[in-house]
Amino acid sequence: MTNSRPSSPRTAPVAVEVRAAEKVFANGVRALDPIDLVVREGEFATIIGPSGCGKSTLLRLIAGLTQPTGGSARLSPEAQSAGFAFVFQSPTLMPWTNVATNVRLPLDLAGIARTAAKRKVQHALELVGLQNFAHLYPRELSGGMQMRASIARALVTGTRLLLMDEPFGALDEITRNRLDRDLSELCAREKLTVLFVTHSIYEAVCLSSRVLVMSARPGRILMEVVIDEPQPRREAFRTTEKFARLSTGLSGMLATAMHGAPA
Ligand code: ADP
């Protein structure tokens, strides 16, 4: 594994710790070879890798949605108690009710009183810029706005850790760039910890403090690249020589990962 430089201060508490976690499904598919991964609080760590290499499986192990067949994947006690949220490519909003009620869902499930819930919903909508759209129904929203609502619902309980599985993969490029920029600002301002999966090298470079490149299945982490650029990322970063150099470097690594060249 190439490890350029420490990504976030070594002193930042650990939020996610994966130790030699592997996954073989019941049908014999070996999705993950043993993986070691530590994500520290405040980091924006991104996983890229070929389709089917086990990126979603790794996120699901960390979320406890599936169990490793060897090793361990766990959240720190602090991350566990503050809670985490999963954001998927599909916004999974309830079509029969409005944005506010959709965002309120986790609070309703937790039995939070209506007045407190209303305040939290308002705050979450402000975080994603949807404060004036609370009364709209999902069908009245663009794809980007639906995704914003999905992120607001993820944050409404005050969670500090987001596991995001290709959240913007279905959006057009302009909307995706806009959401990337806003997510970068949101995460820096709120000091969120993010583990993000994407197919887009540009998105990875734009958003991340660290990018992990996975091999073809069975997935393992081949390389790690630190993106040493202040957060939130300025729009102008995309047009810099540094951005081009990092993107080209990651493209090469991804090609190596896809063609199974020796690590
Ligand atoms: P990625 O997110 O990188 O595209 P996944 O983690 O979704 O990859 O899947 C990794 C591999 O494990 C794929 O070959 C997929 O078909 C297989 N897989 C995923 N879930 C299951 C399952 N429940 N049972 C058997 N195989 C699975």
Side-chain angles (χ1 to χ4, degrees):
M1 189 194 288
T2 346
N3 190 349
S4 329
R5 292 216 270 134
S7 49
S8 68
R10 286 286 180 208
T11 49
V14 170
V16 174
E17 187 168 19
V18 179
R19 291 288 174 217
E22 51 187 317
K23 183 69 182 181
V24 182
F25 285 106
N27 61 359
V29 170
R30 171 170 277 277
L32 293 176
D33 265 352
I35 300 250
D36 286 310
L37 170 65
V38 167
V39 182
R40 291 178 181 272
E41 285 182 12
E43 261 198 291
F44 197 118
T46 293
I47 300 169
I48 60 172
S51 256
C53 76
K55 301 181 293 297
S56 300
T57 302
L58 179 57
L59 282 197
R60 290 171 58 80
L61 286 178
I62 291 167
L65 296 172
T66 184
Q67 295 306 309
T69 36
S72 63
R74 57 172 68 102
L75 304 180
S76 67
E78 293 73 24
Q80 190 72 257
S81 70
F84 66 94
F86 222 121
V87 178
F88 302 95
Q89 189 174 105
S90 158
T92 62
L93 300 172
M94 300 179 288
W96 59 86
T97 189
N98 66 18
V99 168
T101 312
N102 267 286
V103 171
R104 205 182 63 216
L105 178 69
L107 302 175
D108 289 346
L109 294 173
I112 306 289
R114 274 296 160 93
T115 323
K118 202 171 168 192
R119 254 195 333 268
K120 288 174 192 284
V121 168
Q122 181 62 21
H123 177 63
L125 290 174
E126 281 165 12
L127 289 177
V128 300
L130 281 188
Q131 61 275 20
N132 297 325
F133 302 94
H135 58 288
L136 294 187
Y137 281 70
R139 66 174 176 277
E140 299 176 283
L141 303 178
S142 66
M145 290 164 88
Q146 290 185 19
M147 183 45 68
R148 286 174 191 274
S150 172
I151 295 171
R153 184 184 51 195
L155 294 174
V156 76
T157 54
T159 182
R160 322 283 312 147
L161 171 64
L162 293 178
L163 304 176
M164 305 184 86
D165 195 353
E166 287 220 63
F168 309 147
L171 301 174
D172 65 81
E173 200 174 335
I174 291 173
T175 306
R176 185 174 189 161
N177 291 347
R178 178 86 197 274
L179 278 166
D180 283 343
R181 199 188 61 207
D182 289 356
L183 181 66
S184 181
E185 270 174 21
L186 173 67
C187 293
R189 197 175 63 234
E190 300 296 315
K191 299 187 171 50
L192 303 177
T193 308
V194 184
L195 187 54
F196 192 90
V197 166
T198 182
H199 274 118
S200 162
I201 287 166
Y202 301 103
E203 187 169 59
V205 176
C206 262
L207 290 172
S208 321
S209 49
R210 188 159 55 115
V211 182
L212 303 139
V213 183
M214 281 180 70
S215 70
R217 201 186 80 206
R220 65 203 163 90
I221 295 174
L222 281 182
M223 289 165 249
E224 184 177 312
V225 175
V226 170
I227 312 289
D228 179 17
E229 176 75 13
Q231 305 264 21
R233 297 287 153 76
R234 296 163 298 118
E235 187 69 25
F237 178 48
R238 283 176 188 264
T239 55
T240 59
E241 188 273 332
K242 182 177 179 182
F243 185 90
R245 184 168 33 81
L246 285 163
S247 303
T248 308
L250 275 172
S251 289
M253 291 179 200
L254 200 54
T256 303
M258 281 180 166
H259 300 124

